[in-house]
Amino acid sequence: GSNWTVTSMIVCQAGMVGILGLGIGTGAAAVFAWAMRNTELNLRFSSQQLGLTAIAVTAITVLAAWLAARKVIRLDPAEVFKG
C-alpha cells in the first residue's frame, strides 16, 4: 500500500546516496593512497576490504533509511509535506 511506497522510496533514495558516498569515499581514499605511495604511510586496499566496506555501508544506509521511514509513515501526509 501507500506505506510500502513511501518506505521503498526513502530506502531507494538513501541507497543511491549511500552508493554515491561510497564511490566518493573510495575515490578519495584511492587518491590519498596514491599520493602517499612513496612515504612511510603507504596504504594498500584489498578487494576484500573494499567489498566488506561496500556491504557495511549499504547495510547501515538501508537500516538508517528504514528506521527513518518508520517514523515518517506514522505521520499525516499533510504534516510531512507541510515543511
Side-chain angles (χ1 to χ4, degrees), residues 14-43:
M16 290 188 299
V17 170
I19 290 169
L20 179 65
L22 178 66
I24 291 170
T26 302
V31 168
F32 183 76
W34 179 82
M36 297 290 137
R37 70 189 180 284
N38 296 324
T39 68
E40 289 184 30
L41 188 60
N42 188 1
L43 301 174

Side-chain angles (χ1 to χ4, degrees), residues 12-67:
C12 182
Q13 288 175 356
M16 290 188 299
V17 170
I19 290 169
L20 179 65
L22 178 66
I24 291 170
T26 302
V31 168
F32 183 76
W34 179 82
M36 297 290 137
R37 70 189 180 284
N38 296 324
T39 68
E40 289 184 30
L41 188 60
N42 188 1
L43 301 174
R44 302 234 186 262
F45 299 105
S46 71
S47 58
Q48 285 180 331
Q49 287 173 316
L50 294 175
L52 289 174
T53 300
I55 291 169
V57 166
T58 302
I60 292 167
T61 301
V62 168
L63 177 62
W66 179 72
L67 290 172

